[in-house]
Amino acid sequence: MSPFDADAIVVGGGLAGTAAAIAVAQAGLHTIHLAPPAPPDRRTSALMLPSVDYLQQAGLIDTPETLGHALTQIRIIDATGRLIRAPETLFDATEAGLDAFGWNFGNARLLERFHAVAATLPNLTIRPQGATSLQLTGDGWSVTLPDGATLTAPLIVGADGKKSIVRQAAGLRSSDRPFTQSALVCDLELGRPIGGTSIEFHYPQGPFTLVPAGDNRANLVWIDDAETLRAAQAGGAEHLLTLFAEKSQRLFGSIAMASSAVVFPLSALSVASAGLDGVVLTGESAHAFPPIGAQGLNLGLRDVADLAAALAVADRTQAGWAGAVSADYARRRAADLARTGTMVDTLFRSLLADMIPAQALRAGGLWALKLAPALRRQAFAIGMGRR
């Protein structure tokens, strides 16, 4: 009889945490998922094709069109007015031999689907509680709940966000850098449809991006100085709609609000290692970026896929198996986390750079992508997270 309450405890109830809990349970581990209630997540996630493939292989979704909207093109418009400007660039999935780069999913609908899958797993127990503290015991971890009760397991999966209690308890070092920019998100109803094209208007303080959400609807992600966005939000719906029309260069006819606008701060977080002593970190416990290049949840799902791979080769009959899993997981994730973090940071800095040499490099890069099909295909692969 096991001295533990479970083989693994997953902490965090978001998309990455729920996907991780399902993956761990599917690997045959008796799993407890600590998922405290949270308000509905009204945001969307653009998942690239490898992420969608993983969701289907793991049984987390059936066909993507039942939940999301295809992203077939990416259109970039330099609206900075700088001395050296990049060309307008269109990336089409057909150039890579694909029907779509990926799919745009509503986070709430995706999480609902994950919950339905979790409910079918008899070895997965879900508790609507978080963790208040963790302590390393002789051969495992003790997790304290808000009511003072404790649970024990040899393997802990931290998916509890940027301020992760799991990460702190495990002593996994992190670097967190706040930005002066924030992001305003909402849903819009456009007078003219954008089809399957994600459209990015690049402005000096960040992109103004419209992502297809079906029919004439689009999800807006507007990155700008925090004060600018707060002032825009405080001006009310009519003021926002005037700004949206200007920012979108009046290309889409009338614009109406289809949801309220929400502003949230931006920061970048990274860890030196994503696993140690029987603890692994997934999702924003291990990494967080500005919403540039559609990397957030895509990277989180690659975390989950590598966790599943590490569990698949683990020998759980051996003492210390959880420590071996965390070490294997950290090794598997190291290159991807470093590469993606560098890519997103470089891209975000290039969008904000005022120096003429930086403007020239960015414009030259887009000209190269526009004119060189082979280079463009390589950029597709990197942006989609192919490994």
Side-chain angles (χ1 to χ4, degrees):
M1 183 174 178
S2 172
F4 298 104
D5 295 304
D7 298 319
I9 297 173
V10 180
V11 183
L15 285 165
T18 305
I22 291 170
V24 174
Q26 287 175 334
L29 282 70
H30 173 207
T31 307
I32 296 175
H33 184 199
L34 299 180
D41 186 350
R42 302 300 183 190
R43 295 173 298 174
T44 62
S45 294
L47 296 184
M48 298 297 101
L49 207 55
S51 296
V52 176
D53 290 343
Y54 170 75
L55 293 181
Q56 291 183 282
Q57 292 163 8
L60 290 170
I61 64 171
D62 296 321
T63 55
E65 56 265 25
T66 61
L67 290 174
H69 306 283
L71 304 175
T72 59
Q73 295 180 322
I74 300 171
R75 182 182 177 190
I76 298 176
I77 300 173
D78 188 336
T80 61
R82 288 169 173 158
L83 179 63
I84 301 176
R85 297 176 63 188
E88 181 172 330
T89 308
L90 181 69
F91 302 103
D92 195 305
T94 58
E95 294 182 67
L98 303 171
D99 293 328
F101 290 118
W103 297 76
N104 188 33
F105 296 97
N107 288 359
R109 290 191 69 194
L110 203 55
L111 187 59
E112 182 181 350
R113 169 64 185 170
F114 287 8
H115 285 164
V117 174
T120 68
L121 300 173
N123 58 326
L124 174 57
T125 301
I126 302 170
R127 296 196 178 192
Q129 299 170 287
T132 58
S133 65
L134 290 87
Q135 184 174 359
L136 182 63
T137 62
D139 52 0
W141 287 87
S142 175
V143 180
T144 303
L145 306 180
D147 61 4
T150 59
L151 295 170
T152 58
L155 180 66
I156 303 294
V157 180
D160 51 337
K162 294 180 184 179
K163 298 181 180 179
S164 172
I165 291 174
V166 174
R167 185 181 67 240
Q168 295 171 21
L172 288 162
R173 294 184 294 107
S174 65
S175 173
D176 191 358
R177 182 164 61 90
F179 293 105
T180 60
Q181 288 78 17
S182 288
L184 181 148
V185 299
C186 65
D187 296 337
L188 300 177
E189 194 76 28
L190 305 178
R192 301 189 187 98
I194 59 175
T197 305
S198 179
I199 304 172
E200 300 180 11
F201 298 87
H202 287 181
Y203 285 94
Q205 297 306 316
F208 180 95
T209 304
L210 296 170
V211 185
D215 299 324
N216 280 37
R217 183 166 290 202
N219 305 129
L220 168 66
V221 181
W222 173 16
I223 295 177
D224 210 315
D225 287 333
E227 292 183 3
T228 298
L229 296 182
R230 292 291 182 191
Q233 184 185 39
E238 289 304 317
H239 178 59
L240 280 173
L241 290 174
T242 299
L243 293 175
F244 295 164
E246 293 173 355
K247 288 281 186 181
S248 62
Q249 300 184 359
R250 306 185 187 279
L251 295 179
F252 310 107
S254 61
I255 300 178
M257 301 281 290
S259 74
S260 58
V262 178
V263 175
F264 59 92
L266 299 180
S267 64
L269 181 143
S270 60
V271 293
S273 173
L276 180 71
D277 293 338
V279 171
V280 302
L281 302 177
T282 65
E284 290 194 342
S285 297
H287 47 76
F289 309 109
I292 300 288
Q295 291 302 316
L297 183 56
N298 286 282
L299 193 59
L301 291 174
R302 297 205 293 275
D303 294 339
V304 175
D306 275 343
L307 175 57
L311 288 170
V313 299
D315 183 356
R316 292 195 289 118
T317 66
Q318 297 295 315
W321 66 266
V325 167
S326 64
D328 184 18
Y329 173 79
R331 178 188 59 78
R332 292 171 184 268
R333 295 306 300 137
D336 190 16
L337 294 181
R339 180 175 57 248
T340 304
T342 299
M343 180 188 74
V344 174
D345 185 65
T346 300
L347 179 57
F348 192 55
R349 289 175 182 273
S350 77
L351 293 175
L352 306 180
D354 289 323
M355 300 296 291
I356 288 179
Q359 295 175 31
L361 283 172
R362 177 175 166 273
L366 281 173
W367 271 113
L369 290 174
K370 183 181 178 71
L371 298 174
L375 186 61
R376 195 158 56 246
R377 285 192 294 271
Q378 185 177 14
F380 291 165
I382 294 172
M384 291 171 65
R386 291 198 182 278
R387 294 184 283 178

